[in-house]
Amino acid sequence: MPTDRGGGGGGYLSVKPLGFYEITEEKTTFKPAVDINFFILIATIFTLGLALIIKKSIKK
């Protein structure tokens, strides 16, 4: 019986950094790795688009 074949369960795992700590003599601060303002902008555009679609469907 050949033993060169895998028998694992498979799966996929992806990890992304949330941010990093900047340490200076005065203070330690956490800096996020992603731009939060970009996500706020996308959420705002999505919400306005959804509101317009709902408003159009209610008028009919």
Side-chain angles (χ1 to χ4, degrees):
M1 185 171 249
T3 60
D4 60 347
R5 294 188 182 176
Y12 178 77
L13 179 68
S14 176
V15 178
K16 294 181 182 180
L18 296 176
F20 62 94
Y21 287 100
E22 181 180 52
I23 303 171
T24 62
E25 290 184 13
E26 295 85 30
K27 61 182 176 176
T28 301
T29 55
F30 180 77
K31 305 279 185 161
V34 294
D35 185 15
I36 300 298
N37 292 328
F38 175 73
F39 287 111
I40 292 172
L41 175 66
I42 296 299
T44 302
I45 292 171
F46 177 76
T47 303
L48 290 174
L50 190 61
L52 290 173
I53 290 171
I54 291 172
K55 184 178 177 182
K56 259 187 178 180
S57 68
I58 291 175
K59 278 187 173 181
K60 291 182 177 183

